DNA sequence: AAGGCCACCTGCTTGC
DNA sequence: TGCAAGCAGGTGGCCT
């Protein structure tokens, strides 16, 4: 499901709904979903219980919630790290509405305390919440990770000003919506690669957040073939491609953001509103919106590439 | 040692 | 109808 726009939509939902809340209970229903957690469920639980979720940050497709001892304490040194994989979702529900057992695909359930604001009267307190990590295919995962300094000393990602990043995310490059992204440097790094341009777009160590959908959409907008050699692309061409990727993800983010209600943190990429705006992804056999030629799907790196055989030629 | 392949897991769709 | 193969939005690790 989730590429950058979907994960950012989830981050915004978390920022709105769970900040300042304490973790009251941790229930791991599928060990595999916390396979990256050293020490397993016990370690996850003891790292989270009683701690406060103090921010909602994102770089590329990785999300993290820094955890503090108490609301407002010093800069946290660890965070709850979440990757949604192919099919992950987060759902927030008021505890009173959860009368029945979690559904089959709920892999981890957190119970979060009331948002404690000093001076607030009890009747004004928000109710406790359930935060469910739902994941059909279980490629997603969740763990508590140490926060370490960023390589460039700048903010770790969207949603935080701290120059810190979870250790397992340190190798992930800044994404195209990150204000601290160095675009000229990225273009040079791409030109120094000897590979096909789509492989470069999908390499999260080079630029993060782009997945198969937005890679195909950006290549179509920039009129580039997925296998075009990176070391033969001009700076102008690459600027056009990266701008197209920025545009398509920004548009998807705006479309995704509209389909939200207050207590449902959703991930809805292809089934959501934006799927109607896709030019090539999943559109094989349908006419290219630019020239009318039927869109083609070809095997690529154990998945598929969708493109217009006329607009996107190798030269 | 950069580049590329594949396993990891579940469930739905397609085709014989 | 039944069963197998194909397909799905990601990525870490391992091979060359």
């Amino acid at each position: 499901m989730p590429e950058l726009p979907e994960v950012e939509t989830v981050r915004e939902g978390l920022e709105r709904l769970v900040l300042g809340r304490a973790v009251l209970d941790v229930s791991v229903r599928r060990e595999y979903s916390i396979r990256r957690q050293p020490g397993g469920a016990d370690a996850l639980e003891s790292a989270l219980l009683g701690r406060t979720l103090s921010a909602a940050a994102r770089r590329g497709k990785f999300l993290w919630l820094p955890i503090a001892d108490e609301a407002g304490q010093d800069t946290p040194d660890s965070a709850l790290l979440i990757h949604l994989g192919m099919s992950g979702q987060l759902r927030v529900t008021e505890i009173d509405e959860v009368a029945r057992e979690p559904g089959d695909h709920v892999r981890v359930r957190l119970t979060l305390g009331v948002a404690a604001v000093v001076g607030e009267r009890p009747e004004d307190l928000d109710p406790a919440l359930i935060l469910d990590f739902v994941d059909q295919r279980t490629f997603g995962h969740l763990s508590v990770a140490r926060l370490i300094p960023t390589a460039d000393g700048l903010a770790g990602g969207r949603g935080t000003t701290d120059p810190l990043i979870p250790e397992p995310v340190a190798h992930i490059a800044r994404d195209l919506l990150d204000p601290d992204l160095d675009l000229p440097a990225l273009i040079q790094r791409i030109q120094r690669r000897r590979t096909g341009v789509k492989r470069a777009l999908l390499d999260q160590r080079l630029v993060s957040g782009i997945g198969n959908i937005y890679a195909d959409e950006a290549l179509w907008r920039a009129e580039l073939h997925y296998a075009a050699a990176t070391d033969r692309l001009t700076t102008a061409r690459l600027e056009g491609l990266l701008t197209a990727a920025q545009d398509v993800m920004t548009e998807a983010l705006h479309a995704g953001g509209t389909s939200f209600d207050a207590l449902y943190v959703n991930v809805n990429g292809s089934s959501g509103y934006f799927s109607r705006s896709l030019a090539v992804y999943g559109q094989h056999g349908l006419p290219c919106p630019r020239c009318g030629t039927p869109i083609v799907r070809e095997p690529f790196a154990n998945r598929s590439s969708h493109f217009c055989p006329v607009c996107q030629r190798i030269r």
Side-chain angles (χ1 to χ4, degrees), chain A residues 9-24:
Chain A
T9 303
V10 172
R11 189 201 68 76
E12 288 169 4
L14 290 172
E15 192 165 68
R16 241 175 332 109
L17 297 172
V18 309
L19 293 202
R21 288 177 177 271
V23 180
L24 302 183

Side-chain angles (χ1 to χ4, degrees), chain A residues 5 9 247-259 273-274:
Chain A
T9 303
D247 290 348
V248 69
M249 289 195 293
T250 301
E251 289 165 30
L253 181 54
H254 292 326
T258 61
S259 63
Y273 182 77
F274 190 73

